[in-house]
Amino acid sequence: MSEPALLTIDRAERVFGGGRTIFGMPKPAVHAVQDVSLEVRKGETLGVVGESGCGKSTLARLIVGLDRPTGGSITLDGRDIVQDADKNPRKLARKVQYVFQDPVSSLNPRKTVRTILTAPLIHLIGLNRQGQERRLEELMEAVNLTPEFLDRYPHEISGGQAQRIGIARALAADPEVIVLDEPVSALDVSVQAQVLNILDDLKTRFGLTYVFISHDLSVVESVSDRVAVMYFGRIAEIGPAREVFRNPNHPYTHLLLQSAPAPGRRSLVPEDANTELPDPYNPPPGCAFFARCPNATGRCGESRPALEAKSGEATHLAACYHPHGGKEE
Amino acid sequence: MTEAAVSPAPKARATARRPDSIRLLLNNSLATGGFFILVTMALVALAAPFLPLADPDVTAPANRLMPPFSPDHFLGTDALGRDILSRIVWGTRVSLAVGLSATVIAAFFGSLIGLVAGYAAGRVDSVLMRGIDMIMAFPYILLALAIVAVLGPGLLNALYAIAVVNIPFFARSIRGITLGLSRREFVDAARLSGKSNAQILFIEVLPNVLPVIIITMSTTIGWMILETAGLSFLGLGAQPPQADLGSMLGEGRKILFTAPHVSVVPGLMILVLVMSINLFGDGVRDVLDPRLKSGVLTRPVARTTVDRKDASSGLKPRADAILDVQDLRTEFHLGGTVYKAAGGVDLHLAQGECLGVVGESGSGKSVSAMSIMGLVPSPPGRIVGGAAFLGNEDLFSASDERIRQLRGADVSHVFQDPLSTLHPLFTIGDQLTEAILAHRQVSGSEAMKIAEDLLNLVRIPNPSERLKVYPHELSGGMRQRICIAMALANDARVMIADEPTTALDVTVQAQILSLMNTLRHERDAAILFITHDFGVVSAICDRVAVMYAGKVVETGATQEILNSPAHPYTAKLIDCVPVLGEPERRLDAIEGRPPMVNNLPQGCAFADRCPKAQADCRAAPIPVTEFAEGRSVRCLHPVKEGEHV
Ligand SMILES: Nc1ncnc2c1ncn2[C@@H]1O[C@H](COP(=O)(O)OP(=O)(O)OP(=O)(O)O)[C@@H](O)[C@H]1O
Ligand code: SF4
Ligand code: SF4
Ligand SMILES: [Mg+2]
């Protein structure tokens, strides 16, 4: 805890829709991200897990300035990201970069790898011809591809290679933080391992800070120092990865861990199939997990639990009135 | 991590692609014909000033209305005695120039509007597109007439009118494409690479839109020439004495019966010109966007072609298997290349058993499974060898009618994307009852009752209400449960499930897996379960078959394979998956990637990546060895128990 946070997200909120139509009727609003606060320290990997639609990608896009929060603030090194994204997007892009989920569609089909990788070198750090050549070589070396790939088109390379190009592009301007949104979900397991190993290697070599988003718990567990579990746009639990996975406080984290298949795990513990998911257009007043929660009591349906330390560890927080293995309130 | 070093040199390079498109175009004889006629006409029209032609505008009343083939006047003369051949050549020149310029103007402004509207979206898009809608609200030719009426008749004004009238056409199609492209991830990526909006629009998006602009141009230019001719015909375009195909037609109309050649000749010229442009335009479209090609969208035949050359008739089904696939060979023939997607696959399922088929993408899992009931699209797919026995019946020699009966009844399928099975426009009830009625002699109300029971079976709450909803009103997990209900509708003996849980969240996946597991015990149905996830295999499969490059390389009971894999590939595949609860484990990536199935080595397909490979591995095809009860492996130097590779 000694080092100050590099990236601070304070009560970030992103609402889609809302407002009124020209006839004055209210338009439905979806709270994709609500009241999310977290810190990422230099050199650490923060894993973000959660199911589809829980707001992971929206949060990621907020951090890199591809989208603007409708409330709260996001600061990097003490500077407001939202203001930077409006005034000087290139400056922000030099510090924070993004790796996309679908490696192939994140590369323009009509550009060669060389053109794709040169763009940030020109626009972000203004390298000259010579500098570009040298940097391209370094980048290809960093992601373990021979320079021969520079002259290929995206459809001429495999998914794993395309994702490495995506990583090289993110590295090009020497950023401090890289947000990885499901970087290995589209890859085969054997290729996934190659990419995970490269990411690990790059992190130590260049002193990078990662925000690693994935729905795959085992992948997140293997890469993260700390992990945040998101449910319905909010953080349900956050803490050191070891702690959260070994001693989950929030019933939702518990459910995720029990549902995850693992080699050798003979039977999964399924949740009762009748449970309903909360309606994003009509969010429940209390805990969003109420309808699915085995520990729920009347209180959970009425008011929303705050994100607090539940297991005695100051760094391990959960938003739940009746946490697993923690103290009751 | 030497993948880069071993990967083959790029086969198709940008420079090598271009001649390909031209060759493709030349293969299309209609397009080639159109192209040559067009080029000839264009060259003649361009050369008009240098050709030994009479002056097209000099009148000679003495020579009026001479018939074709007269001396000095090959195509005769018109009512003012002007040489028709000369006027046709000059007129074609004018028509081509006007059509081309109008197309270029319309394409430029239309595409610009479309690009900006599609990229900016939101308010800019609304304003621009409402403007376009207003233009489109007028009947086409009326609008052109109105514009000419305002500007005054004349060839240039006709050109502007035609161009303006065609702008919406370009704007709309380009906007649609741009809208789609602007949401693609590479646009976000370009933004993060520091590109400005203008740079993104014109450097990133435009090159992807260009083929569409060219296609649209090539298909509209003929139409524009026709429209110009129309305006000139009405006297609003080219003014006398200037020759233009449309005005010539108009002038000849009055004397159609006394001197038909005066109107027939320009009429034929318009026909040939527009036809050749359209044939060529269609050819260009087919080359640049093969999906739009006429005939491509027709359905492939309803069942995979079976074309077994070898003596597969000698194969006998196993006694204890309900489904027994032996030496299955399925190939794809694409442009002279043969992809051996399944290169001798053996799989068998006992009653009530769940067999997992594991492997990386491209290893032939789905093709093998789809071949069983002939669901591989033909062309290009075809089954060239082996047999699939359902009980004692060889499915590959069964009649189409028999296969139709079996599909969805004895053998049913569940796919990764439930929406590919469910029709979006029919209710769940309609679709379930249809599936039931297709195979059973029951009344509609009885079928409805069965459908309700099925929903109960797959644990869908409040089934009678759910029967009335449409697929989009259900969550992904619910839809997949409906698909399972459908697969069970007719007491299937075998269920083929292709990655049924891959698209689902873990909690939903756990529900579906336990549901499938319960149902197969209740109903004693066998499941062929395709997945790439060893965790999923552990949760539901009794036995596993591991596939690599179109062949099964190892089979055995799930626990045994996980504990002591025999094939080096299986061992490495298990090692490279992160395991929940073991974050410290080093991920052991498999270097390189599988060989392409159109270029398989003579010996073991895994040899290039295998740490245990030796010279003999590459010499000849590797046979399957059964090394223990129910365990077999396709490897000369299998991993021993406790050995690490
Ligand atoms: N542009 C948008 N307009 C309206 N709603 C949106 C938009 N983008 C996201 N949402 C909604 O916000 C919520 C969170 O979306 P987000 O894509 O961030 O989730 P996710 O966890 O990353 O999902 P997945 O794993 O499926 O990608 C969802 O309910 C989604 O439908
Ligand atoms: S607050 Fe209540 S409903 Fe929400 S997770 Fe905790 S116990 Fe369950
Ligand atoms: S046959 Fe040889 S190359 Fe192939 S897997 Fe076995 S040891 Fe490796
Ligand atoms: Mg996402």
Side-chain angles (χ1 to χ4, degrees), chain A residues 250-252 287-291 293-297 299-301 303 305 319-323:
Chain A
H250 200 285
Y252 176 62
C287 175
F289 195 56
F290 180 62
C293 185
N295 300 5
T297 59
R299 180 182 179 197
C300 310
S303 66
C320 175
Y321 291 128
H322 313 292

Side-chain angles (χ1 to χ4, degrees), chain A residues 16-17 30 32 50-59 101 181-182 280:
Chain A
F16 290 106
V30 179
E51 294 177 285
S52 73
C54 75
K56 308 183 296 286
S57 302
T58 307
L59 182 67
Q101 169 165 4
D181 187 4
E182 306 263 11

Side-chain angles (χ1 to χ4, degrees), chain A residues 307-321:
Chain A
L307 191 62
E308 289 164 347
K310 296 289 176 186
S311 55
E313 290 279 346
T315 51
H316 184 180
L317 316 177
C320 175
Y321 291 128

Side-chain angles (χ1 to χ4, degrees), chain B residues 495-540:
Chain B
M495 200 150 121
I496 298 176
D498 192 345
E499 308 245 12
T501 59
T502 305
L504 305 174
D505 282 320
V506 275
T507 55
V508 185
Q509 166 167 290
Q511 291 170 3
I512 298 286
L513 289 178
S514 79
L515 173 70
M516 290 183 79
N517 211 14
T518 319
L519 290 176
R520 85 169 153 117
H521 289 306
E522 280 176 20
R523 302 219 151 191
D524 211 14
I527 304 181
L528 187 68
F529 197 106
I530 300 175
T531 176
H532 62 271
D533 187 336
F534 274 109
V536 170
V537 166
S538 295
I540 185 166

Side-chain angles (χ1 to χ4, degrees), chain A residues 196-197 200 217-225 240-243 245-246, chain B residues 577-587:
Chain A
L196 288 177
N197 287 344
D200 194 41
L217 295 159
S218 49
V219 168
V220 166
E221 189 190 24
S222 74
V223 302
S224 308
D225 300 310
R242 246 8 80 72
E243 269 293 298
F245 280 90
R246 206 164 294 159
Chain B
V577 191
V579 176
L580 203 57
E582 302 174 25
E584 313 297 344
R585 217 167 67 114
R586 204 176 69 85
L587 295 185

